[in-house]
Amino acid sequence: QYVPLFDYFAKDKRVNADFGFRVYADNYVTDDSGTGIVHQAPAFGEDDYRVCIANNVISKGEDIVCPVDMNGNFTSEVGDFAGKHVKDADKEIVQLIKKRGRLIY
């Protein structure tokens, strides 16, 4: 279990508190082209969804967290970056992670 970089969904009922914010292994993640660690976002990928279902992070058929609107902007649930396009927010996200002393490089 780990402390999430951002706590927007740490207490969200759509994420199973007993299984969310943990590290899970899966065959689609390898270290031959990166760190071998990926963030799971079940609203944005088939593998992510499958891994989260398999590990009881979310429940099949239930509402899942999707903090991005149809235009690619963060929703109000993501307070620090609400209304910003996800790619336009990259630099601000990195700055905030640095400011909190959570950036590892």
Side-chain angles (χ1 to χ4, degrees), residues 43-44 66-76 83-86:
F44 300 102
C66 184
V68 178
D69 68 20
M70 296 301 286
N71 294 313
N73 299 320
F74 283 115
T75 63
S76 60
K84 289 194 179 273
H85 190 273
V86 294

Side-chain angles (χ1 to χ4, degrees), residues 25-83:
D26 195 75
N27 293 335
Y28 87 97
V29 181
T30 63
D31 63 358
D32 63 347
S33 62
T35 63
I37 299 172
V38 296
H39 167 78
Q40 298 298 307
F44 300 102
E46 181 181 347
D47 285 322
D48 297 43
Y49 182 81
R50 179 182 51 75
V51 170
C52 288
I53 291 290
N55 290 284
N56 299 310
V57 176
I58 60 171
S59 298
K60 192 171 187 174
E62 301 269 326
D63 187 28
I64 58 175
V65 172
C66 184
V68 178
D69 68 20
M70 296 301 286
N71 294 313
N73 299 320
F74 283 115
T75 63
S76 60
E77 294 174 299
V78 184
D80 296 300
F81 312 105

